[in-house]
Amino acid sequence: MNPGLADILVDIIDPATPFDRALERCAEAIPNGLFTAMRFHRDSMEVERIHSTLPDVYPVSGRKPKRDTEWGDKVLLDRRVNLGYGEEDIVWAFGDHRTILGLGLKAVLNVPIVRGENVLGTLNFLRDGPGFTEQEAATGQLLAAAIAMRKWAGSQAFAPNHR
């Protein structure tokens, strides 16, 4: 692990680090053109945006239904990373694929944030290219684990009953 990533992980876990700053640190760890963090609402099978590096295009609080979608089954129910590249993979993963492709983003990395057996949300990285590597996917999993381990110190962003 590179020293920069180690510092980022320590910062994310530190309860003195504000929640939004912890998510900013996630965005810094992997080169991207758009980073979002989503909260998962299991009962409604929706994800809710709680952080965005492009808030004018993808504002905080937007929700996306994921019930009966292959992406939702893979990432939210099966707790697996989604790694894709190209228009077909973007269309497969996102109902708002026209917006994403319009931004020139064609590489995707979605990482579930898992605590115990529960998916709390996702970390989502998109960029124009190149495609995300397996090493970047592993880094994303470390970031998601750090977010899941975080002692929230007043933030209930991923609390099970938070709405």
Side-chain angles (χ1 to χ4, degrees):
M1 177 175 18
N2 73 48
L5 179 57
D7 290 342
I8 288 171
L9 293 170
V10 167
D11 202 23
I12 290 169
I13 294 169
D14 184 348
T17 301
F19 177 68
D20 284 342
R21 179 67 183 141
L23 292 175
E24 289 169 6
R25 297 292 281 163
C26 289
E28 295 168 11
I30 299 173
N32 66 82
L34 170 62
F35 169 80
T36 63
M38 308 290 271
R39 174 186 306 125
F40 178 42
H41 296 275
R42 187 174 190 84
D43 291 346
S44 61
M45 274 298 289
E46 293 178 309
V47 290
E48 176 184 5
R49 195 173 307 106
I50 59 172
H51 185 85
S52 173
T53 57
L54 294 177
D56 292 344
V57 181
Y58 283 101
V60 169
S61 81
R63 281 194 182 202
K64 295 181 180 185
K66 295 298 177 180
R67 186 178 306 282
D68 300 323
T69 67
E70 291 180 59
W71 184 94
D73 290 346
K74 178 180 183 175
V75 178
L76 301 173
L77 299 181
D78 296 340
R79 302 183 306 264
R80 295 185 306 160
V81 168
N82 179 52
L83 194 60
Y85 184 80
E87 184 173 336
E88 187 175 308
D89 287 342
I90 297 296
V91 169
W92 176 84
F94 302 106
D96 57 348
H97 57 271
R98 285 186 183 91
T99 302
I100 292 168
L101 293 169
L103 292 169
L105 305 172
K106 56 189 174 205
V108 60
L109 170 60
N110 307 115
V111 183
I113 301 165
V114 181
R115 184 184 294 150
E117 295 296 314
N118 298 311
V119 173
L120 306 177
T122 62
L123 300 179
N124 311 292
F125 302 85
L126 292 111
R127 65 183 178 210
D128 56 354
F132 291 97
T133 65
E134 291 295 329
Q135 182 175 349
E136 288 172 314
T139 296
Q141 289 176 300
L142 288 172
L143 296 167
I147 289 289
M149 289 173 24
R150 184 181 161 93
K151 296 191 187 314
W152 292 107
S155 171
Q156 295 298 309
F158 289 114
N161 296 317
H162 182 76
R163 294 279 182 230

